Amino acid sequence: MSGESGQPEAGPSHAGLDWPNPERNRAGVPGGVIRRAGAQGPRSWIQKVLEQIMDSPRQCVTPSEVVPVTVLAVQRYLLEDEPRDTVPKPLYCYDVTISDGVYQEKCYLDPSLNSLVYQNILKVGIQMRISRVSCLYNEKRIGQGILCIDNVHCGETSDSISLETPFRNRAHQEKPERPLRGGKSHYLALWNNEDPYGDIWLTDKQPEEHNFSDTKIISLSHLEMTWTNRRNFPALLVRILHKSKLRYYGKPDKKMIEPYQTFLEVADSSGTVSVIMWNALCPEWYKSLRVGLVLLLQDYSVKKSYPFRIQPVPVDPQIKLISTMEICLNLRDPPTNIIIIPEKQVKPEWRLPKLNHRFTTRSELDDMPENCICDVIGLLVFVGRVQRSKKKENREDFWSYRWIHIADGTSEQPFIVELFSTSQPEIFENIYPMAYFVCTQLKVVRNDNQVPKLLYLTTTNESGVFITGHRGQPYTYDAKNANRPSTSQAARVEIQERNGKRHQDDEPVNSQYFQTTSTNLSLSNKIRILQGPHANPVAVPQPGASVQTKGIKPGMPSIFNRRANTNASLQGKARKTISDRWESQLWREKKFGLIDHLHYSHVYPESIPRKFMFEHRKFLSEQYNSQPAKYVPPEGRPPKLDDFKSARSLGHFEVTILGLNHEIAIDVAFLPMYCPEDIRTSQIDTLLTSMNYSCAYPQDTTGNDRLPGPRAVAGDIIKAATELDRVHIVGILDICNLGNNKVEVYLHKIYSPENTS
């Protein structure tokens, strides 16, 4: 709500409707657009709805005419608790910007419709019909309020969308953009809280030369010994060694404008310490600070360090790790002064530490212990789609992550990396195969007791990623790392060989591929279910379900049916379906007497990995990313997802699992990975012997023996299934909620009852 002066107090809740007052000059509305559509132009549906609300004694009305409007933006923010709240409400709410072809209007989405966003039914680019609206009035100003959407029917994606229509209310065009309700000054990213989103995040902080003649500097080690006896602290001159991703700690009951926090690990010649940047300083400085910069910090505060936080391993073991204190940077109390010192002004006598990256080759990874920290560099050969996992049960907060493969030329195996969002959406959302990729501060995850051995890398709180503009990045100055095969020679040869092949025959490089999602998707929400020793039905949550469901149930595989589409290409060749089928005698006897038969074996086009084509990298990047918060018009006429060749030469298998009581069955999909063009991009596992894993590889070959084709490998898989006839098994199923009322269930692993540990 705005104050009596008409200016916002702590937030933008005044930025709503300027009602069409009949006593005013109807040629324009103060605070809105100058002109108003009349007989000479198309009539604005938005304007008519506002007039209908104004003329109605009711707060909620049904528009006299329901016409399709286009969704241009869906933006999320935290809604604070209000005194009049009597029932629980969602943690987050949404503003939806619509266009009727004449005007644009930002509207508040009633929280009862939030599930349409969760399920990716209400999204940018679609047409929808609004069948009920209401008004949330600003009680401190006459003639102002917010248009609320109370009921909608969402349609398909619109073919022609214009972004040229003006906002009816000019307040909605203010920069930075502000939410309609509450005291928050900014929007959050649509799908997670770690990514900076919106125009409050500045990027223009530049280095500036500083006159040190009147500046008193204190070393970190001296500050550690004396800070408890000081009131004023001299300046710190330090280099950034690590930078963490953002942490958003907003709560509905805490009226904080920009509740953000990030950690910097900084060092001088005497030690390294944690620096915490708080609140409004994060939008001002976060995107401008990077590892390797030299900072002059003034007017900071010092406090005792948080006992349970684990600092990252120092880049140089010779540097002292100071863990008894933390440096705090705030916009006030006191207002911190941050200066980026140009590298050319850095003097050798300052003895600031150099960066020491731990670049590791893929051949070295096999011998590294669990939880070891390393950096990797190489060529992206696989990019998975964005997925989400819940941070905590019964909460609306999610992690965003994807799987990627990086080849560095030192091994037939790639690095397999679980890449969580690192608060770098400009990179996280724009990676594609054939790109030169660097990822720092990765942690080794391994389990040598299972077969095959588990080995991959996952990001940490301090991980950073780089994909373009490597020149000038801190790791390029490290002479020791520049001579390592993984950082210079092998990766460079890898790029030259693969790019050279592509330019020679002008064909796409088949060994590099995407796991894509359709434009209609937001994120895959994966839920894993263990099927084991109880006779309960398999729990399959519907799209939008927010609770991870786990049940245990044994069963028996009854049908194994292979489906593979071939000859799908950009040239639009005719498709041919290959089918291999096995059906058990038990299934023939029991399938007509079931209480329930769940069908979840369909594999949607967006779930099939596609061969990468460099000239279509932008289109493919959009397909496997999350749904954007704002509509972005396509460039030209985009291709169709089905036009790109599948990277799964085996196709997929449809498996029916029968419950032990022979009353319930479920159809699931089984997608073994097998890529004969490039074995190393196939996640090599021993599937054929026990069907325990979701990847396949051919039997060992010697000499010049040719690898078996997909038909032969598929036949071996079918044969392995027949050996499980009437065998009790425990299966792990992955449930993927793709949004838009689409759910897939995949067979992840099969165990025999005597080997369920």
Side-chain angles (χ1 to χ4, degrees), residues 503-531:
H503 291 308
Q504 288 170 10
D505 53 22
D506 200 28
E507 290 293 331
V509 181
N510 289 335
S511 61
Q512 297 154 355
Y513 53 96
F514 278 98
Q515 181 179 0
T516 62
T517 60
S518 165
T519 312
N520 295 331
L521 288 190
S522 57
L523 297 166
S524 296
N525 297 331
K526 179 176 286 189
I527 300 176
R528 180 160 292 178
I529 293 184
L530 176 66
Q531 311 301 319

Side-chain angles (χ1 to χ4, degrees), residues 122-234:
L122 199 167
K123 56 193 174 185
V124 298
I126 68 164
Q127 287 194 331
M128 70 177 184
R129 297 176 181 270
I130 303 174
S131 56
R132 190 170 69 247
V133 297
S134 61
C135 170
L136 183 64
Y137 291 100
N138 183 342
E139 297 177 349
K140 291 187 177 181
R141 296 194 66 184
I142 298 175
Q144 278 199 355
I146 298 172
L147 183 63
C148 304
I149 299 175
D150 296 328
N151 198 13
V152 298
H153 174 76
C154 297
E156 299 297 323
T157 301
S158 177
D159 294 330
S160 58
I161 299 177
S162 173
L163 300 179
E164 302 301 322
T165 54
F167 275 97
R168 188 203 59 83
N169 188 339
R170 282 182 176 173
H172 296 167
Q173 294 177 297
E174 291 178 351
K175 301 294 182 182
E177 286 188 288
R178 297 178 178 272
L180 290 176
R181 297 192 61 187
K184 299 302 178 186
S185 65
H186 68 290
Y187 289 106
L188 300 170
L190 187 55
W191 300 110
N192 65 54
N193 290 342
E194 283 70 44
D195 289 342
Y197 170 83
D199 43 23
I200 69 165
W201 297 89
L202 306 181
T203 59
D204 57 354
K205 299 292 185 179
Q206 300 297 324
E208 55 183 88
E209 292 196 5
H210 180 75
N211 184 358
F212 286 91
S213 59
D214 297 326
T215 303
K216 184 178 180 181
I217 306 293
I218 188 172
S219 70
L220 290 174
S221 60
H222 190 195
L223 181 65
E224 180 189 23
M225 293 185 293
T226 61
W227 73 271
T228 54
N229 299 321
R230 290 177 177 269
R231 288 189 176 182
N232 300 311
F233 304 109

Side-chain angles (χ1 to χ4, degrees), residues 713-728:
V713 176
D716 289 340
I717 294 176
I718 294 290
K719 181 181 178 181
T722 64
E723 297 173 356
L724 296 177
D725 188 15
R726 294 180 182 266
V727 173
H728 290 188

Side-chain angles (χ1 to χ4, degrees), residues 230-234 276-281 284-285 297-303 326-338:
R230 290 177 177 269
R231 288 189 176 182
N232 300 311
F233 304 109
I276 311 176
M277 183 178 292
W278 291 95
N279 304 332
L281 273 186
E284 182 180 355
W285 280 97
L297 304 179
Q298 297 173 307
D299 300 320
Y300 53 88
S301 60
V302 184
K303 69 172 186 177
E326 294 174 341
I327 309 299
C328 297
L329 309 182
N330 287 282
L331 191 62
R332 57 183 67 88
D333 300 328
T336 301
N337 184 30
I338 303 174

Side-chain angles (χ1 to χ4, degrees), residues 483-704:
N483 293 324
R484 291 179 61 86
S486 65
T487 60
S488 60
Q489 301 166 8
R492 190 176 299 114
V493 169
E494 186 82 16
I495 294 172
Q496 291 172 351
E497 288 179 352
R498 291 175 180 265
N499 288 348
K501 175 183 176 182
R502 181 179 182 276
H503 291 308
Q504 288 170 10
D505 53 22
D506 200 28
E507 290 293 331
V509 181
N510 289 335
S511 61
Q512 297 154 355
Y513 53 96
F514 278 98
Q515 181 179 0
T516 62
T517 60
S518 165
T519 312
N520 295 331
L521 288 190
S522 57
L523 297 166
S524 296
N525 297 331
K526 179 176 286 189
I527 300 176
R528 180 160 292 178
I529 293 184
L530 176 66
Q531 311 301 319
H534 292 298
N536 297 327
V538 178
V540 182
Q542 297 302 310
S546 59
V547 179
Q548 179 172 337
T549 308
K550 292 186 178 180
I552 299 181
K553 178 181 182 298
M556 291 172 278
S558 298
I559 296 181
F560 218 84
N561 187 27
R562 176 189 177 226
R563 298 191 181 276
N565 289 330
T566 61
N567 296 330
S569 68
L570 283 175
Q571 287 72 35
K573 296 179 181 179
R575 290 182 175 86
K576 179 182 178 182
T577 300
I578 300 174
S579 180
D580 298 289
R581 181 180 177 88
W582 168 77
E583 182 174 310
S584 71
Q585 180 60 38
L586 178 64
W587 176 250
R588 297 189 189 101
E589 298 170 359
K590 301 296 183 180
K591 62 182 177 181
F592 297 112
L594 298 175
I595 296 176
D596 198 4
H597 188 178
L598 305 174
H599 302 280
Y600 287 96
S601 63
H602 180 72
V603 177
Y604 290 92
E606 56 267 27
S607 297
I608 299 174
R610 305 286 176 175
K611 299 291 181 67
F612 176 65
M613 299 188 72
F614 186 78
E615 57 269 32
H616 294 288
R617 62 191 180 279
K618 187 174 186 299
F619 168 78
L620 288 171
S621 296
E622 293 171 350
Q623 305 310 299
Y624 70 79
N625 271 328
S626 55
Q627 184 73 28
K630 288 188 174 182
Y631 175 75
V632 179
E635 297 178 359
R637 186 176 181 85
K640 294 182 179 179
L641 195 58
D642 284 335
D643 292 338
F644 295 87
K645 285 185 177 181
S646 169
R648 290 189 181 275
S649 54
L650 284 179
H652 73 277
F653 296 81
E654 298 174 353
V655 184
T656 299
I657 300 176
L658 180 64
L660 290 187
N661 290 335
H662 302 169
E663 296 177 340
I664 296 176
I666 182 171
D667 298 339
V668 299
F670 177 52
L671 283 75
M673 177 58 67
Y674 173 69
C675 188
E677 296 96 337
D678 190 346
I679 291 297
R680 75 173 169 197
T681 63
S682 306
Q683 302 164 3
I684 307 301
D685 284 331
T686 55
L687 166 73
L688 300 181
T689 54
S690 63
M691 292 186 61
N692 273 2
Y693 306 99
S694 59
C695 308
Y697 78 102
Q699 300 294 335
D700 291 339
T701 58
T702 58
N704 296 324

Side-chain angles (χ1 to χ4, degrees), residues 413-445:
Q413 301 290 329
F415 292 105
I416 298 176
V417 180
E418 183 183 30
L419 182 66
F420 283 86
S421 171
T422 58
S423 298
Q424 297 171 280
E426 67 281 359
I427 298 179
F428 186 80
E429 297 174 359
N430 289 283
I431 58 177
Y432 50 81
M434 296 177 62
Y436 197 32
F437 193 75
V438 174
C439 193
T440 62
Q441 289 295 112
L442 295 173
K443 182 175 68 174
V444 177
V445 179

